[in-house]
Amino acid sequence: MSAIDELVAEFARLPGIGRKTAQRLTYFLLKQPGESTARLSRAVAALSERVRACSRCGNLTEADPCAICTDPRRDPSVVCVVEEASDVLAVERAGEFRGHYHVLGGRLSPLDGIGPDALHLTALLARMGPGSLVREVIVATNPSVEGEATAHFLERLLRPTGAAVTRLARGLPVGGELEYADSVTIAQALQARRTMGDA
Ligand SMILES: [Zn+2]
């Protein structure tokens, strides 16, 4: 495969990038000075070299534990559970939440063969064990069918720990994704969160 074809194929694998856009990006890079493309390839390489998952919460970080887990101004008694590390960014952007996070690394999706074993649940339960400071778990999985199923699974799983399990209020677009929700909507959904398991 030629260098051009190879890069086009790599770009085309990215979310939201079709074959045409992949070609446009590749030809754009061909016209750039060598130093500019070298900078891009260094930045891409640095991702896998320097970024890893926080051993405590699963958030993406260069320092382990991450800056959120080690921030003394944050409240360790509230943990916000999200599907992906990109959702941490979305909730942080809303500026409403001052607790800790737990990244599941996905959501339950039986049709895709994604069961509880595929999610970082052992680490979550470990954080909720004896002597845990966690008093509330806010389930902030996406308002999709899979996200809701995951939320209910978590509620049943965490019930024995005695911590309150709450869910973001409705208002987030159903079937939408947290990552793309605006900050005001996320802040409101956090403020109006409701306890799960009462119904
Ligand atoms: Zn962390």
Side-chain angles (χ1 to χ4, degrees), residues 7 11 29 33-51 62:
L7 187 57
F11 275 137
L29 287 176
E35 176 47 32
S36 152
T37 49
R39 216 167 35 235
L40 175 66
S41 64
R42 278 199 303 273
V44 173
L47 282 181
S48 56
E49 285 162 14
R50 304 216 300 256
V51 182
E62 294 192 26

Side-chain angles (χ1 to χ4, degrees), residues 32-85:
Q32 302 305 304
E35 176 47 32
S36 152
T37 49
R39 216 167 35 235
L40 175 66
S41 64
R42 278 199 303 273
V44 173
L47 282 181
S48 56
E49 285 162 14
R50 304 216 300 256
V51 182
R52 70 201 102 158
C54 170
S55 57
R56 208 172 293 174
C57 72
N59 187 20
L60 293 177
T61 178
E62 294 192 26
D64 188 19
C66 73
I68 292 177
C69 283
T70 52
D71 186 343
R73 291 161 301 179
R74 300 192 72 115
D75 179 3
S77 73
V78 191
V79 172
C80 179
V81 178
V82 293
E83 293 181 18
E84 304 289 350

Side-chain angles (χ1 to χ4, degrees), residues 118-135:
L119 306 180
H120 300 144
L121 296 173
T122 314
L124 177 60
L125 284 172
R127 295 177 75 177
M128 313 273 307
S132 168
L133 297 172
V134 181
R135 296 284 164 265

